[in-house]
């Protein structure tokens, strides 16, 4: 079948018109935003995890005064300042501080023998415990001494590299922002009024309670990956899921559909690599080490490990961070809906006097 030049020109014009209609300025900006998130994802994960090195790891030394000073000096002199050593009263005090998560390890020097004891806690991160073993062994060899390792809070045999806490928290975070995103996609990113915003938050709370319980049961009784109280993990999971979900709803209420991308930026791109999952916080670069505890994945991972391996010690700060996200998200989501309703309401006509 033959085509006239006019038909070809008409088809070209029609195609260009369809492209113009499809690629609107708003769509272009959203696509550029996706590319930016993609590149930030790569930069954040590779930047945080490509070259893990211990930096100023809190570390105790239990020994007689003269020996302790010499040992602390030797540990401080390690290249790159991997340890932040300080003296502790005795072995019992060192163990207690590790269990309270004040320090990550300790060396107990046997003044009457040639073999010292290294206390570690693989429940706080297997990679960190292994790293401490290597660092201390190097110092001990230089002093013609030997060292044996005692794991004060060992990771579960079913918790490979101590990662189960991190993956559990990631799952709860994913549930939070996915549920909030689905609510936005199905009924509009910005709720039309405070009543609808409140309904979304109630749905988010119910999902959080269900997801928190499900995650705690899966990693505990079903898989045996984590010890610790199922009830405590349930409460933590509900709080993490709601905190992330409420924050996502708040971002959507303020920025519309772009809020979903901002939630991914905060939780996935910034939060996951800085959470201390694959590598505990002391092994991350300074930027990620600084932001991790303030974001839901980092606060959640710290609290989950404390519940599982440290008798729920030192969780107050992490729980306050998560509550702050939950409360701020709820308040902002409701406030955004109130302001939006105020802008949409028509002005009442003036009454005749």
């Amino acid at each position: 079948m033959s085509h006239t030049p006019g038909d070809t020109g008409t088809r070209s014009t029609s195609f260009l018109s369809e492209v113009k209609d499809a690629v609107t300025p708003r769509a272009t900006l959203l696509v550029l935003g996706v590319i930016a998130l993609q590149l930030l994802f790569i930069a954040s994960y590779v930047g945080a995890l490509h070259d893990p090195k211990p930096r100023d790891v809190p570390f105790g030394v239990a020994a007689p005064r003269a020996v302790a000073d010499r040992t602390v000096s030797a540990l401080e002199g390690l290249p790159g300042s991997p340890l932040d050593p300080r003296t502790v009263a005795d072995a019992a005090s060192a163990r207690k501080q590790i269990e309270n998560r004040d320090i990550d390890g300790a060396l107990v020097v046997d003044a009457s023998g040639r073999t010292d004891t290294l206390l570690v806690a693989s429940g706080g991160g297997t990679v960190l415990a292994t790293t401490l073993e290597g660092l201390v062994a190097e110092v001990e060899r230089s002093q013609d001494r030997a060292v044996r390792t005692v794991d004060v809070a060992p990771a579960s045999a079913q918790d490979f590299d101590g990662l189960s806490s991190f993956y559990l928290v990631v799952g709860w975070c994913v549930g939070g922002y996915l549920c909030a995103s689905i609510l936005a996609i199905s009924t509009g990113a910005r709720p039309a009024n405070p009543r609808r915003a409140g309904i979304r938050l109630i749905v988010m709370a119910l999902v959080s309670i269900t997801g928190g319980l499900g995650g705690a049961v899966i990693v505990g009784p079903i898989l045996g990956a984590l010890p610790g109280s199922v009830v405590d993990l349930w409460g933590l999971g509900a709080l993490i899921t709601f905190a992330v979900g409420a924050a996502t709803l708040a971002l959507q209420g303020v920025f519309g559909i772009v809020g979903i991308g901002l939630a991914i930026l905060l939780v996935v791109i910034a939060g996951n690599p800085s959470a201390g999952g694959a590598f505990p916080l002391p092994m991350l670069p300074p930027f990620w080490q600084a932001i991790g505890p303030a974001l839901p994945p980092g606060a959640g991972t710290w609290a989950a490990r404390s519940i599982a391996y440290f008798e729920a010690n030192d969780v107050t700060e992490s729980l306050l961070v998560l509550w702050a996200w939950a409360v701020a998200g709820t308040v902002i989501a409701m406030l955004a809906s109130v302001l939006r309703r105020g802008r949409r309401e028509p002005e009442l006509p003036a009454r005749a006097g």
Side-chain angles (χ1 to χ4, degrees):
M1 181 181 294
S2 61
H3 298 282
T4 65
D7 292 335
T8 302
T10 300
R11 286 199 302 273
S12 298
T13 302
S14 176
F15 174 74
L16 292 174
S17 178
E18 290 177 3
V19 170
K20 183 178 179 180
D21 291 339
V23 186
T24 62
R26 182 171 183 270
T28 301
L29 290 175
L30 290 174
V31 169
L32 291 175
V34 169
I35 295 173
L37 287 177
Q38 178 188 53
L39 298 179
L40 286 171
F41 183 98
I42 295 170
S44 184
Y45 276 73
V46 177
L49 307 176
H50 78 289
D51 187 24
K53 294 177 180 177
R55 296 173 177 84
D56 296 323
V57 179
F59 190 82
V61 174
R65 171 63 61 184
V67 177
D69 291 342
R70 185 173 67 249
T71 304
V72 167
S73 296
L75 294 172
E76 286 179 334
L78 288 170
S81 299
L83 301 179
D84 179 17
R86 74 284 306 267
T87 58
V88 296
D90 50 31
S93 177
R95 180 182 290 267
K96 187 65 175 177
Q97 289 191 43
I98 293 173
E99 292 172 347
N100 289 337
R101 308 201 74 179
D102 296 324
I103 58 177
D104 291 308
L107 180 64
V108 181
V109 177
D110 182 0
S112 62
R114 305 296 300 174
T115 301
D116 301 326
T117 301
L118 171 65
L119 304 179
V120 297
S122 60
T126 304
V127 175
L128 179 57
T130 303
T131 301
L132 291 178
E133 289 184 45
L135 291 171
V136 172
E138 178 183 341
V139 172
E140 292 286 271
R141 281 194 301 269
S142 70
Q143 298 180 355
D144 195 25
R145 299 181 66 85
V147 63
R148 68 184 184 95
T149 301
V150 174
D151 201 336
V152 174
S156 166
Q158 284 74 44
D159 183 12
F160 179 74
D161 271 359
L163 291 173
S164 297
S165 300
F166 171 62
Y167 291 136
L168 174 64
V169 171
V170 168
W172 282 328
C173 289
V174 168
Y177 68 72
L178 279 185
C179 179
S181 301
I182 289 171
L183 291 172
I185 293 171
S186 62
T187 59
R190 294 185 175 97
N193 53 58
R195 179 173 174 274
R196 291 187 181 181
I199 291 173
R200 290 186 183 186
L201 288 165
I202 292 172
V203 170
M204 194 68 251
L206 294 174
V207 169
S208 301
I209 292 170
T210 305
L213 176 60
V217 170
I218 288 172
V219 301
I222 294 179
L223 297 179
L226 288 179
S229 167
V230 172
V231 174
D232 287 350
L233 287 174
W234 177 12
L236 176 65
L239 178 57
I240 292 171
T241 306
F242 184 79
V244 173
T248 305
L249 289 174
L251 290 169
Q252 290 168 180
V254 175
F255 299 102
I257 198 70
V258 175
I260 296 176
L262 295 176
I264 292 173
L265 174 64
L266 288 171
V267 177
V268 178
I269 295 176
N272 284 355
S274 65
F279 301 108
L281 286 176
M283 301 190 71
L284 297 178
F287 172 75
W288 287 269
Q289 190 177 138
I291 67 172
L295 298 174
T301 299
W302 181 273
R305 281 178 171 159
S306 290
I307 291 171
Y309 296 116
F310 299 91
E311 300 181 351
N313 290 325
D314 196 25
V315 298
T316 302
E317 184 175 340
S318 297
L319 293 180
L320 288 175
V321 167
L322 293 169
W323 273 111
W325 280 82
V327 172
T330 300
V331 171
I332 294 173
M334 292 300 299
L335 183 59
S337 67
V338 170
L339 295 176
R340 177 174 172 80
R341 181 182 183 182
R343 289 195 299 267
R344 290 169 61 92
E345 286 183 351
E347 295 184 3
L348 296 176
R351 292 182 354 179

